Structure formats: structure tokens, C-alpha cells
Amino acid sequence: MSLEQGSIVEGIVTGITNFGAFVELPGGQTGLVHISEVAEVYVKDINEFLKVNDKVKVRIISVDPKGKIGLSIKQANPSANRGNRKPKFQPSFEDKLAKFMKESDERLSDLKRQTDSKRGGRGSKF
């Protein structure tokens, strides 16, 4: 079967790696769904989204001359992915910075307390 870029086909997940999933397509060819093409949301662990032997609908996004086939699950079901999953709350940069500064200040004060107790407290002379 000739696979054309842009077509949507159904396949079976045959293998999972930390960078994506291999999907067997009709005709016995295998393509790769990169981890960034699994879902609309950030995917830290692909195993939370896919398992071996899952049937998936994929869009063929590239076919190179060497025969490598690039696939996308999120492009095959764009409306389904957006509707089913609520995006997780993403704190703003300012929120992350404020949290970091607070934790940093706490660690610094703990370190000063420990250092002062080893020296004999404040104001002691050597």
C-alpha cells in the first residue's frame, strides 16, 4: 500500500520508547509518532497515553526517501484531543520566579542557622 503524506490511517502500536511510539501501518510498514505528536498537552511520559497493541488513528506527516515515516496522533484527531483533556494549570513565569525566590531564601536562612550554630552562635569571637 502506498502511503501518502497527509492521509489518515489506522495502525497498531508495536513499540514504545522515551522519544515516541512505533506504529505498524496497513501493508506492514512501520512509522514513528514522536512524543511531541502524541497529544495537544505536554507529554512527559508516553506510557500515560499509549500502550503496546493500542489501535490508533494517525496522520502521515512525512515520508522520507529512505522510507522513514513520520506520524502524528494529535493531527489525526485535533478536535478530539482539545475537547477531552483540560489543559493543566501552567503557572506564569512570575509565579515560578516568586516560588523559586521564596524557596531560595528559606534554604539560605537554614544554611545560615546551621553555620551559626557550628560557630557558637552570633557575636562569638575566635
Side-chain angles (χ1 to χ4, degrees):
M1 176 181 189
S2 176
L3 300 172
E4 293 182 24
Q5 186 172 336
S7 61
I8 296 176
V9 295
E10 199 167 272
I12 298 175
V13 177
T14 58
I16 295 179
T17 67
N18 58 350
F19 56 84
F22 290 97
V23 176
E24 185 175 332
L25 304 171
Q29 292 177 297
T30 300
L32 174 70
V33 178
H34 188 266
I35 193 167
S36 65
E37 292 294 329
V38 171
E40 293 286 333
V41 296
Y42 176 73
V43 178
K44 184 173 183 177
D45 182 8
I46 197 165
N47 293 299
E48 294 175 4
F49 291 83
L50 297 172
K51 303 282 181 249
V52 174
N53 295 324
D54 280 355
K55 276 190 177 183
V56 291
K57 192 181 289 188
V58 294
R59 169 168 277 165
I60 299 170
I61 55 175
S62 66
V63 180
D64 77 0
K66 294 180 182 178
K68 292 183 180 178
I69 303 169
L71 305 171
S72 173
I73 293 173
K74 74 179 181 181
Q75 290 181 32
N77 308 319
S79 59
N81 283 338
R82 284 190 199 111
N84 290 346
R85 293 196 185 272
K86 280 180 139 180
K88 294 179 182 174
F89 171 73
Q90 292 291 326
S92 69
F93 175 76
E94 288 80 14
D95 293 337
K96 290 179 183 179
L97 183 61
K99 181 181 176 189
F100 172 79
M101 293 297 291
K102 180 182 175 195
E103 290 173 354
S104 179
D105 288 342
E106 289 171 357
R107 276 187 244 129
L108 189 58
S109 65
D110 286 345
L111 184 62
K112 281 184 178 180
R113 243 183 275 124
Q114 290 174 357
T115 306
D116 287 346
S117 67
K118 290 180 182 175
R119 288 187 191 163
R122 289 192 170 182
S124 65
K125 296 188 178 189
F126 299 111

